[in-house]
Amino acid sequence: MAQEQDDDLIWRTAWDWVRREHDRENFGEGSRVEMVAWLLADPAHRKAYDKAARLWLLTGLVPPTIDVDAWKKNQNRASPEDAAPSDDDA
C-alpha cells in the first residue's frame, strides 16, 4: 500500500513537471534546476517523467473531438429565441 502511494506521488509529480515545463512563460531557469534535481534524486523519478512526457506528446497528437472555437462562435450567434422552444415545436 505504501509503495502504491509512493508511486502515485511520483507519477503526479512527474506529470506536474511535464505540464509546468510546457508552460514556457512560467518555467524559468530556477524551475529547470529544481526539476533536474528531482529527476536525479531517484531513477523512479526519471522513469515516471519519461512516461509522462510520452503521454503529453501522444495527447498532443490526438485531434480534439470538438472544435471549441467553432462551438463558442455558434453559442455567441444563438439568440435567446433560438434556445427557447416555440409553440410550433410542441
Side-chain angles (χ1 to χ4, degrees):
M1 181 77 165
Q3 180 64 39
E4 192 174 298
Q5 289 176 336
D6 290 345
D7 290 346
D8 190 43
L9 177 60
I10 290 171
W11 170 254
R12 286 193 319 256
T13 304
W15 182 252
D16 280 345
W17 279 121
V18 169
R19 184 186 50 77
R20 288 176 59 194
E21 187 177 24
H22 286 85
D23 181 9
R24 300 204 190 280
E25 292 178 15
N26 298 313
F27 194 79
E29 189 58 30
S31 295
R32 185 166 305 283
V33 168
E34 189 179 342
M35 182 183 79
V36 169
W38 182 79
L39 290 170
L40 294 173
D42 186 329
H45 293 179
R46 182 59 193 229
K47 185 177 178 182
Y49 173 86
D50 288 344
K51 204 179 225 182
R54 282 192 307 274
L55 179 61
W56 182 275
L57 176 65
L58 289 172
T59 57
L61 297 175
V62 175
T65 58
I66 185 170
D67 183 346
V68 175
D69 292 330
W71 181 81
K72 284 197 294 190
K73 284 180 188 176
N74 287 336
Q75 293 300 310
N76 290 338
R77 284 189 209 156
S79 67
E81 297 85 36
D82 294 338
S86 67
D87 291 335
D88 296 335
D89 292 339

